[in-house]
Amino acid sequence: ARRYLPTSDAAIALAAAVGDAPGIIVIAGTGSIAYGRDDRGRLLRAGGWGIPFDDHGSGYDLGCKAVTAALEASDGRGPYTLLADRICRHLGLGDITGVVSKKLEPQQVAALFPLVMEAAREGDLVASHLCDEAARDLADLAAALLKRADFARHPVPVATTGGVFQSSILVRQAFVRHVRRVAPYARVEMLVRPPVEGALWLARNLDKKQS
């Protein structure tokens, strides 16, 4: 290519959500990140620093916490949860303690988060708590940018995308609730356009700037 723009999936998703207008995108898939633009055009970021130190509220984070909750229930240190049996079936284990010796890749851990969503829908209190905790962690990412951009009292768009948001209405509803405590006028909604439209928008914009 004669012209190119090194960028990130977060920047592409933000472009799909708001173009070059002020706004925030929160992504929760295998990892998690918030990316935004303030009304002066400055780009802001929170989270997305990878495992094992960050990515709170992500699929990986939920998978890890699901295994922890299942192990604690097995020990009698935590309440009963459906997650132990669900994880065992998913990974082909005879007992949840077998997960310790299984060398799981990050994607395999993240693939456990649908089990949390399923158990929460069936009324499992531990899984429901994990969903709310994930929503709160993701809302904290948005809140950090809302405060830094001085958007707390403005009707700024806060878009969400990624497998965690798409898979759970519990997470989406709790996320809205937690964000509104910081920014009561924020317009929280799922990303409607596919991120590839953001890539195309950036490419067209780059072409205009360099032509």
Side-chain angles (χ1 to χ4, degrees):
R2 289 176 299 160
R3 292 187 288 273
Y4 55 88
L5 174 67
T7 189
S8 68
D9 56 352
I12 287 169
L14 180 66
V18 298
D20 58 1
I24 292 169
I25 185 85
V26 181
I27 305 171
T30 300
S32 63
I33 188 173
Y35 200 69
R37 182 185 293 102
D38 67 12
D39 54 11
R40 288 183 284 172
R42 293 183 307 164
L43 293 171
L44 306 170
R45 164 196 181 148
W49 303 116
I51 56 174
F53 303 115
D54 195 26
D55 286 352
H56 302 309
S58 67
Y60 179 85
D61 187 45
L62 276 165
C64 283
K65 289 177 178 176
V67 171
T68 298
L71 289 169
E72 289 178 350
S74 175
D75 284 347
R77 291 182 291 147
Y80 168 79
T81 174
L82 296 170
L83 292 171
D85 288 340
R86 303 289 169 87
I87 293 170
C88 285
R89 285 204 300 272
H90 181 81
L91 297 176
L93 302 173
D95 184 86
I96 189 59
T97 56
V99 74
V100 177
S101 59
K102 211 169 174 63
K103 291 181 171 56
L104 297 177
E105 296 293 328
Q107 290 284 355
Q108 291 176 290
V109 176
L112 299 176
F113 89 81
L115 306 181
V116 181
M117 309 303 184
E118 180 183 279
R121 284 194 296 267
E122 294 177 22
D124 185 273
L125 295 180
V126 172
S128 296
H129 172 73
L130 291 180
C131 287
D132 186 73
E133 188 175 45
R136 188 168 59 250
D137 287 339
L138 295 168
D140 285 345
L141 293 175
L145 297 192
L146 286 163
K147 290 174 183 175
R148 284 161 58 191
D150 196 25
F151 281 154
R153 307 298 296 178
H154 298 279
V156 64
V158 178
T160 60
T161 190
V164 172
F165 284 116
Q166 291 165 355
S167 299
S168 176
I169 191 170
L170 291 176
V171 171
R172 295 197 300 271
Q173 290 174 338
F175 176 83
V176 173
R177 187 170 65 251
H178 291 307
V179 167
R180 290 263 166 80
R181 288 174 181 165
V182 176
Y185 305 110
R187 304 197 309 272
V188 185
E189 56 190 23
M190 284 289 294
L191 179 64
V192 177
R193 299 185 181 91
V196 68
E197 289 195 22
L200 293 170
W201 186 91
L202 288 170
R204 286 195 301 269
N205 208 40
L206 179 69
D207 191 56
K208 289 176 184 176
K209 289 179 179 178
Q210 296 188 358
S211 59

